């Protein structure tokens, strides 16, 4: 089965009152409630129209004055930063990392547990669309979040895959750029499901867990082999040491032939 397209949420349109309409009657709210209303409104606003949307338009939607909005968020950048914290950082759960750090369990089992909770957490209209809009406008949200994902998920996964391909001693050095690309493959594949749903407005399979399991099975069949292929292209520790020694040797011979080497 596939999930039906939720036209109401995926094709939301702005409902801005005409400029000659009577001013909206504002509700009296406590400062913390007003701030919460602005943040929630900004999340919906940026998810719908992207970051070209202006704060005056947002204030009009919220039924508050532009000046009142500035009391809480003096710049658009300050509001965007708060949206980042609200939509991305606040949803990241430390226990997700513990799912990946259970060495007694197979890597396939750990990845399956992690992505079954992670994908469901981010598979949301606002999360995906803000992320894509942020990348297109280079406002920093996408880059900051991907840096977090790279540090907490992708780099450790690359090292695990190399260890599977070459043995435990291969854990000692940081992953290369090529090894990181191998590790990014699974994450990118699963995130693309959310892009298809919330950006392209296309149906996706209803059973995400089954899709995750199949993707991880394919990944675990191919990724270690890709790492072994990369290891064959990488000089061994002995070869690198010999190359460094060869570079140093002419310099030592040159110094020994210099008449003033001893001062």
């Amino acid at each position: 089965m596939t999930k039906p397209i939720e036209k109401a949420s995926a094709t939301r349109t702005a409902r801005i009152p005409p400029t000659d309409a009577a001013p909206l009657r504002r509700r009296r709210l406590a400062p913390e409630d007003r701030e919460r209303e602005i943040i929630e409104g900004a999340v919906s606003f940026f998810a719908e129209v992207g970051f070209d949307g202006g704060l005056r338009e947002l204030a009009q939607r919220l039924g508050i004055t532009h000046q009142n909005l500035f009391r809480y968020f003096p710049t658009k950048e300050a509001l965007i930063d708060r949206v980042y914290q609200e939509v991305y950082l606040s949803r990241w759960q430390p226990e997700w990392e513990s799912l990946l750090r259970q060495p007694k369990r197979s890597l396939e089992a750990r990845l399956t547990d992690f992505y079954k909770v992670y994908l469901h957490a981010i598979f949301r209209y606002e999360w995906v669309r803000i992320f894509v809009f942020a990348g297109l406008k280079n406002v920093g949200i996408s880059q900051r979040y991907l840096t977090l994902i790279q540090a907490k998920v992708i780099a450790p996964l690359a090292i695990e895959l190399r260890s599977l391909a070459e043995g435990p001693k291969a854990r000692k050095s940081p992953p290369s750029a090529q090894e990181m690309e191998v590790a990014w493959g699974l994450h990118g594949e699963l995130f693309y499901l959310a892009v298809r749903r919330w950006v392209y407005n296309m149906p996706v399979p209803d059973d995400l867990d089954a899709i995750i399991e199949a993707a991880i099975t394919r990944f675990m069949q191919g990724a270690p082999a890709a790492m072994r292929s990369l290891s064959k292209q990488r000089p061994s520790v002995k070869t690198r040491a010999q190359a460094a020694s060869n570079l140093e040797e002419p310099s030592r011979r040159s110094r020994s032939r210099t008449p003033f080497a001893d001062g």
Side-chain angles (χ1 to χ4, degrees):
M1 294 179 62
T2 58
K3 289 188 177 181
I5 300 298
E6 300 171 11
K7 294 183 179 179
S9 60
T11 57
R12 299 175 187 176
T13 56
R15 296 181 180 177
I16 304 172
T19 54
D20 57 351
L24 294 173
R25 188 179 185 87
R26 288 185 292 161
R27 297 173 294 153
R28 288 186 174 275
L29 295 175
E32 59 272 18
D33 294 331
R34 179 68 70 190
E35 181 178 14
R36 169 53 47 187
E37 179 187 61
I38 292 171
I39 295 167
E40 291 177 354
V43 169
S44 298
F45 179 68
F46 290 137
E48 180 183 319
V49 306
F51 292 95
D52 283 333
L55 296 191
R56 288 185 183 278
E57 184 182 359
L58 173 60
Q60 194 172 16
R61 287 191 179 203
L62 294 172
I64 63 176
T65 65
H66 195 213
Q67 292 78 7
N68 197 15
L69 178 57
F70 275 161
R71 287 179 55 195
Y72 293 90
F73 298 97
T75 65
K76 188 174 182 179
E77 290 72 22
L79 181 56
I80 289 173
D81 186 68
R82 186 60 181 273
V83 166
Y84 173 68
Q85 295 178 40
E86 182 74 17
V87 177
Y88 300 95
L89 291 188
S90 69
R91 292 183 184 177
W92 181 265
Q93 302 299 316
E95 54 265 29
W96 294 350
E97 299 171 52
S98 67
L99 293 175
L100 294 170
R101 296 172 181 170
Q102 299 177 13
K104 292 184 179 180
R105 304 185 68 221
S106 70
L107 179 57
E108 182 170 353
R110 286 178 277 153
L111 288 172
T112 300
D113 287 349
F114 171 76
Y115 279 108
K116 279 185 176 180
V117 293
Y118 178 78
L119 188 61
H120 285 283
I122 71 166
F123 205 84
R124 301 171 186 272
Y125 173 89
E126 291 85 0
W127 199 106
V128 177
R129 289 177 63 86
I130 288 175
F131 190 86
V132 172
F133 278 131
L136 291 172
K137 297 301 293 184
N138 197 29
V139 299
I141 285 178
S142 303
Q143 294 88 338
R144 291 166 67 184
Y145 188 76
L146 287 176
T147 298
L148 179 147
I149 290 294
Q150 181 165 289
K152 295 182 178 294
V153 180
I154 306 303
L157 173 57
I159 293 173
E160 290 259 14
L161 290 170
R162 188 207 291 155
S163 177
L164 285 177
E166 302 179 39
K169 292 183 179 180
R171 292 176 176 271
K172 295 182 179 179
S173 59
S176 68
Q178 294 91 339
E179 290 169 334
M180 291 290 286
E181 288 302 313
V182 173
W184 271 113
L186 175 63
H187 196 89
E189 177 182 350
L190 294 175
F191 179 65
Y192 183 65
L193 285 168
V195 172
R196 279 170 48 196
R197 175 64 187 87
W198 298 114
V199 177
Y200 300 149
N201 200 27
M202 294 178 64
V204 297
D206 187 57
D207 188 355
L208 289 180
D209 286 352
I211 299 298
I212 291 168
E213 290 172 2
I216 292 173
T217 298
R218 289 193 305 272
F219 180 75
M220 292 305 300
Q221 290 171 350
M227 287 296 192
R228 283 191 290 271
S229 177
L230 289 175
S231 71
K232 293 176 183 178
Q233 303 170 25
R234 188 173 62 247
S236 66
V237 174
K238 182 177 180 180
T239 302
R240 291 197 297 269
Q242 182 61 50
S245 175
N246 292 340
L247 288 174
E248 294 174 359
E249 187 61 28
S251 176
R252 287 197 296 267
R253 289 198 300 266
S254 176
R255 286 197 301 269
S256 66
R257 294 169 183 170
T258 302
F260 303 105
D262 296 329

